[in-house]
């Protein structure tokens, strides 16, 4: 691999990999995977992709084997609390996918009335550092039992009294007779980078990529909204449009009292939004998706 190529670590397969590949694709980058499938090349920019187990990504980035990486915040924070790298990686930005929560969960029959109920109990988890930090903040003394996987079966096997595990829909907890009782950490995928200074070429590439990622993130929920309205309704409509900058107002041919309003709405536009716009006097409302956006 050339020194000047930007090296990105992403999860080989798992809950982060589709989102990571989709993000690169939305940035206009197509990855051709090597035959061993551990290494891929981006065709459009001098970028190399390393495909790893998610747990290895923070260390690869911190140790300069990769320049940047995409990882669950839960894994990254656990690594930060656990390890003392000389130059640990740093979080650059949240990426808006792989949302989940690290949650304390207890058997359904418990009448949970606060964290003090955990005093002296055994809690099974794959995230001992995050769990201990939360217990310390709560002022609770509990024993943390480290488990690499299948944490949710620990209470049934009498290995622990409660668990602290990643929850998305809650179905896994439910199927194992457990209920979530407290949120320990809210997580989503994040972009991390090595703390060392990049070469000017690499820095330029990193900044170009960041710009594209930010463009993808802002255009995700953004819509281009067009409508006609009486000129007198413009102030009320402008104020109402969700997350819009100043809209473009165009006079309609042959009708000086009516205008066309065009705006980029950065927040979600729902059916309720359209109904409200109609009440304010808008007609012929069109909502269009935005494919790309750059500030
Ligand atoms: O093989 P590799 O080591 O790379 O992957 P992995 O198996 O360690 O991780 P993976 O792919 O399962 O998860 C990667 C990351 O996705 C996690 O670190 C989280 O940041 C994020 N994520 C999002 C999740 C979930 N949602 C999730 N639901 N990680 C795990 N789960 C598991 C959870 O552990 C539990 O077993 O799903 C189950 C709960 O799901 P629900 O929907 O039943 O609540
Ligand atoms: Zn893993």
């Amino acid at each position: 691999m050339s020194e000047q190529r930007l090296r990105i670590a992403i999860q080989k397969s798992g809950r982060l990999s589709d989102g990571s590949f989709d993000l690169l694709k939305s940035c206009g980058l197509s990855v051709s995977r090597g035959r061993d499938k551990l290494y891929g090349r981006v065709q459009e920019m001098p970028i190399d992709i390393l495909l790893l187990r998610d747990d290895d990504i923070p260390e690869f980035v911190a140790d300069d084997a990769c320049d940047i990486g995409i990882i669950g915040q839960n894994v990254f924070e656990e690594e930060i609390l656990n390890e003392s790298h000389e130059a640990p990686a740093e979080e650059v930005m949240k990426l808006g996918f792989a949302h989940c929560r690290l949650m304390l969960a207890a058997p359904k029959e418990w009448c949970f009335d606060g964290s003090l109920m955990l005093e002296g109990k055994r809690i099974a988890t794959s995230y001992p550092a995050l769990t201990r930090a939360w217990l310390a903040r709560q002022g609770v003394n509990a024993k943390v039992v480290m488990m690499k996987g299948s944490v949710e079966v620990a209470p049934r096997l009498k290995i622990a009294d409660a668990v602290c595990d990643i929850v998305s829909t809650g179905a896994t907890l439910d199927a194992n007779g457990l209920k979530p009782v407290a949120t320990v950490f809210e997580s989503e995928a994040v972009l991390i980078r090595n703390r060392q200074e990049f070469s000017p070429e690499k820095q330029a590439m990193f900044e170009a990529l960041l710009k594209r990622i930010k463009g993808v993130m802002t255009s995700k929920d953004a819509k281009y909204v067009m409508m006609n309205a009486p000129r007198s309704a413009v102030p009320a409509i402008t104020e109402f449009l969700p997350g819009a900058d100043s809209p473009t107002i165009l006079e309609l041919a042959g009708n000086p009292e009516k205008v066309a309003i065009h705006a980029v709405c950065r927040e979600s536009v729902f059916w309720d939004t359209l109904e409200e716009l109609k009440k304010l006097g808008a007609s012929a409302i069109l909502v269009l998706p935005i494919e790309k956006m750059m500030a």
Side-chain angles (χ1 to χ4, degrees):
M1 271 183 245
S2 145
E3 272 294 285
Q4 300 315 330
R5 298 178 69 83
L6 188 72
R7 300 158 304 172
I8 310 181
I10 65 177
Q11 191 190 26
K12 187 167 177 260
S13 71
R15 289 184 166 90
L16 294 167
S17 42
D18 282 353
S20 305
F21 276 107
D22 287 350
L23 179 66
L24 293 177
K25 199 171 157 205
S26 308
C27 289
L29 307 177
S30 40
V31 182
S32 68
R33 284 201 191 191
R35 225 178 303 157
D36 60 0
K37 299 217 171 122
L38 293 175
Y39 167 75
R41 252 178 186 244
V42 168
Q43 277 144 23
E44 298 80 3
M45 283 169 100
I47 294 176
D48 291 324
I49 308 285
L50 270 92
L51 298 155
L52 304 169
R53 295 234 14 213
D54 69 339
D55 320 70
D56 294 332
I57 292 175
E59 205 156 338
F60 265 65
V61 174
D63 294 347
D64 201 25
C66 289
D67 300 305
I68 60 176
I70 296 177
I71 183 70
Q73 238 175 342
N74 49 317
V75 172
F76 186 54
E77 285 297 322
E78 179 73 16
E79 176 87 4
I80 287 181
L81 292 175
N82 259 328
E83 300 287 327
S84 51
H85 288 280
E86 265 180 34
E90 68 178 339
E91 186 179 314
V92 181
M93 66 183 290
K94 295 187 170 66
L95 297 173
F97 66 91
H99 288 278
C100 57
R101 288 170 172 194
L102 180 64
M103 296 194 83
L104 222 300
K108 282 180 188 165
E109 57 276 14
W110 278 26
C111 266
F112 190 81
D113 59 2
S115 49
L116 288 180
M117 208 180 155
L118 298 164
E119 186 70 30
K121 298 280 197 297
R122 296 160 305 159
I123 301 168
T125 185
S126 306
Y127 298 89
L130 281 167
T131 305
R132 281 197 190 100
W134 182 82
L135 287 168
R137 285 201 299 278
Q138 304 294 313
V140 172
N141 264 313
K143 185 173 186 308
V144 173
V145 181
M146 168 66 177
M147 281 179 79
K148 281 268 181 194
S150 307
V151 171
E152 65 278 359
V153 301
R156 234 184 315 145
L157 299 179
K158 311 276 182 235
I159 299 168
D161 305 296
V163 304
C164 186
D165 199 9
I166 299 289
V167 179
S168 170
T169 61
T172 306
L173 291 183
D174 192 51
N176 285 280
L178 301 169
K179 60 179 178 188
V181 293
T183 298
V184 169
F185 189 77
E186 298 237 17
S187 177
E188 65 185 272
V190 286
L191 185 74
I192 57 171
R193 67 158 284 174
N194 179 284
R195 274 190 202 272
Q196 288 176 33
E197 208 174 307
F198 294 156
S199 68
E201 294 88 343
K202 213 176 247 189
Q203 181 64 25
M205 211 142 41
F206 173 62
E207 283 171 16
L209 179 64
L210 266 193
K211 221 179 223 177
R212 288 194 187 189
I213 293 177
K214 283 180 185 156
V216 170
M217 304 275 300
T218 39
S219 66
K220 228 183 208 172
D221 284 331
K223 295 280 182 283
Y224 195 76
V225 182
M226 304 193 284
M227 74 205 81
N228 295 341
R231 196 179 281 281
S232 58
V234 169
I237 288 177
T238 306
E239 199 180 330
F240 176 74
L241 282 170
D245 300 332
S246 37
T248 308
I249 311 290
L250 305 159
E251 192 174 298
L252 289 184
N255 191 347
E257 284 315 304
K258 262 197 136 178
V259 292
I261 304 174
H262 290 194
V264 172
C265 292
R266 288 168 204 276
E267 292 159 25
S268 303
V269 176
F270 302 106
W271 282 108
D272 298 1
T273 317
L274 305 196
E275 280 155 15
E276 197 55 40
L277 286 169
K278 237 183 143 47
K279 275 189 212 153
L280 292 171
S283 59
I285 310 169
L286 285 180
V287 180
L288 308 175
I290 294 174
E291 199 184 298
K292 292 188 179 64
M293 204 153 105
M294 193 169 277

